[in-house]
Amino acid sequence: MPDFNLSAMSFADLRELQKSVAKAISTFEARQKAEAREKVEMLAKELGFTLAELTALEEPKRKRAPSTKIYRHPENPALNWSGRGRKPGWFAAHVDAGNDPKELLG
């Protein structure tokens, strides 16, 4: 490893050294990633797969069943709520007034 006397270097020389180090680091990382990818591709090939096949595997996503309850606004039936998530103000006001939520099922 070269021995640098950083305190004797000019500001411009330090900036140039900084750029050179950053470039060396990025090219080193790129080489390491390329080597790792090549090793993984070879291992996948030995097992009878391509890397694309292995990286495309995903756990099946759980689908939420549609809500069977639909609450409708008493005066405006275009406004509705599935019963999931935050309660709309009109629904909360209806319940707070002592009314039964089942009255709004539509």
Side-chain angles (χ1 to χ4, degrees):
M1 182 165 138
D3 187 23
F4 291 102
N5 183 1
L6 299 176
S7 60
M9 295 177 76
S10 69
F11 182 74
D13 291 339
L14 289 170
R15 284 284 186 192
E16 187 61 36
L17 180 62
Q18 183 181 27
K19 288 179 187 176
S20 298
V21 168
K23 184 176 180 181
I25 288 172
S26 96
T27 58
F28 179 81
E29 287 176 341
R31 284 193 315 269
Q32 292 294 94
K33 286 180 184 179
E35 289 174 15
R37 182 181 180 96
E38 186 177 318
K39 288 179 183 178
V40 172
E41 285 175 343
M42 289 176 55
L43 179 60
K45 188 175 181 180
E46 288 175 17
L47 296 172
F49 299 101
T50 65
L51 184 58
E53 289 174 324
L54 294 177
T55 56
L57 295 178
E58 290 183 8
E59 299 259 339
K61 293 186 178 179
R62 219 176 52 144
K63 291 192 177 186
R64 179 181 255 184
S67 177
T68 57
K69 295 181 181 180
I70 300 290
Y71 297 96
R72 301 211 184 277
H73 190 281
E75 294 156 10
N76 183 357
L79 295 176
N80 57 46
W81 177 55
S82 68
R84 291 186 175 155
R86 187 174 172 193
K87 293 178 187 173
W90 56 264
F91 181 85
H94 180 80
V95 173
D96 290 344
N99 297 318
D100 188 11
K102 292 180 184 177
E103 295 173 2
L104 299 178
L105 283 175

